[in-house]
Amino acid sequence: MKISLVNKANSADLEQELSWFRQVIDTRLKLHFGQESNHLGVFDLKPPEFGESASNWANFLRRYQPSMIERLTILLALAPSIAPRILDIFLVKNAQIDDYFTEFGGLVQPAPRGFSPTRETLFFLVGGERLDLRFETMQLFQAGHYFWTDNILSSPTPSLAAPAGSPILGVSTSFLEDLTHTQSQTDVLESHFAVQKIQTKLAWEDLELLPRTINQLKDIENWLSHGDTLLNDWG
C-alpha cells in the first residue's frame, strides 16, 4: 500500500512530539520522587517545532497555537489511542499502601491492563501540588474553550470506576480520525460528491457555522488557491 507524503510527515512529527511528551513525564516523576533531574520543572522542556511541515499535527499546531499546557492536555488525551505504553509508568504502586498513587489520578483497566488518564493525571503532570497551575489548567475545561467548541476532546459518560470529579480524559473520534487519517489530500479531493453553485449578496462573514466547519472551509479555500503548487512544485 502506497503511503502519502503527508502521512509520512504526520507519523514522523507525532513520533517527535511523543518523544518530548515522554521526557515531560519522566521529568515530572523524577521531580515528584526527589530523584536527580536535568530540569527544574517540566516547562524547561521546550516542545518541538515543525516549521512548514505538511503533517496534520503541524497544521493543527499552526491553526490553534496551543499553549504548552494545552499541548500536554491533547497528548495525554491522545496517548491511549496511539501510544498507550507511554502511560504504563503510572501503573507503579505505592509500596507503603500497596496501591496505586492517588496523585497520579487515572483509571487502571484490569484486562488488558492499561492506564486511562483523568483530569487529575493532567493536574499532576502540569504542576503537581502547585495550586496556581492547577487552577490555570482547570480553565481548559470551560465550555467555551476550543477543546469543546471544536470537538477536540471527548466528554465521556462518567464511569462508576472513575475517581469522583475527575472524568477520563480522551480525544473525540472525529479529531482522532482527522489527525491520523490515511487518505492523502489528493484522494480526498478525487472523491465524488454533489455540489450546487448558488448566488448570494451575503459575504463569508455573514455565514454562521461552527468554528470547526469554518476551518474546514478555509482548508478547501487554501487547497483551491495553492493545490497546484503543492502537487506540482513541491511534490
Side-chain angles (χ1 to χ4, degrees):
M1 181 176 66
K2 185 176 180 181
I3 302 177
S4 71
L5 293 177
V6 172
N7 289 318
K8 288 182 179 179
N10 202 45
S11 298
D13 287 356
L14 280 174
E15 287 176 358
Q16 188 176 347
E17 187 80 4
L18 290 170
S19 177
W20 167 69
F21 185 54
R22 288 187 186 93
Q23 294 178 44
V24 170
I25 294 176
D26 180 69
T27 297
R28 185 69 193 87
L29 289 172
K30 285 181 177 178
L31 294 172
H32 179 69
F33 290 116
Q35 300 173 354
E36 184 178 352
S37 173
N38 296 326
H39 307 282
L40 297 177
V42 297
F43 292 94
D44 290 345
L45 290 152
K46 301 303 179 185
E49 298 180 359
F50 299 106
E52 298 299 320
S53 171
S55 74
N56 300 341
W57 179 247
N59 287 332
F60 171 81
L61 295 178
R62 282 192 291 267
R63 176 180 298 172
Y64 289 99
Q65 298 291 309
S67 66
M68 182 168 170
I69 294 179
E70 290 173 329
R71 202 155 161 173
L72 288 173
T73 302
I74 297 168
L75 289 171
L76 184 62
L78 188 63
S81 297
I82 65 173
R85 291 181 62 182
I86 289 181
L87 304 180
D88 283 354
I89 189 63
F90 291 116
L91 293 172
V92 64
K93 285 189 174 183
N94 186 335
Q96 295 181 351
I97 61 175
D98 191 31
D99 203 352
Y100 301 103
F101 285 85
T102 305
E103 57 267 41
F104 294 171
L107 176 63
V108 178
Q109 308 288 352
R113 184 171 295 277
F115 183 88
S116 296
T118 62
R119 295 181 189 180
E120 197 62 41
T121 313
L122 175 64
F123 298 149
F124 168 80
L125 186 62
V126 169
E129 297 180 356
R130 285 186 55 179
L131 287 181
D132 59 333
L133 291 175
R134 184 184 184 94
F135 293 159
E136 181 179 347
T137 306
M138 289 173 67
Q139 301 304 308
L140 306 183
F141 298 96
Q142 299 294 321
H145 193 278
Y146 71 83
F147 282 171
W148 312 104
T149 60
D150 289 7
N151 196 31
I152 292 171
L153 295 188
S154 65
S155 182
T157 302
S159 168
L160 294 177
S166 188
I168 293 175
L169 194 62
V171 294
S172 68
T173 301
S174 59
F175 176 71
L176 182 62
E177 290 176 349
D178 288 347
L179 192 62
T180 61
H181 70 75
T182 56
Q183 284 184 298
S184 68
Q185 295 290 348
T186 305
D187 295 331
V188 173
L189 288 178
E190 286 179 350
S191 62
H192 299 291
F193 57 94
V195 296
Q196 181 179 0
K197 184 175 180 179
I198 61 173
Q199 300 291 335
T200 179
K201 295 180 180 180
L202 299 176
W204 281 105
E205 292 74 16
D206 299 313
L207 190 61
E208 294 187 5
L209 293 171
L210 292 173
R212 175 183 176 82
T213 306
I214 289 291
N215 288 332
Q216 290 173 335
L217 287 174
K218 288 181 179 178
D219 286 342
I220 295 174
E221 182 183 13
N222 288 333
W223 177 264
L224 293 175
S225 300
H226 308 293
D228 185 67
T229 300
L230 288 170
L231 283 176
N232 300 318
D233 294 345
W234 294 2

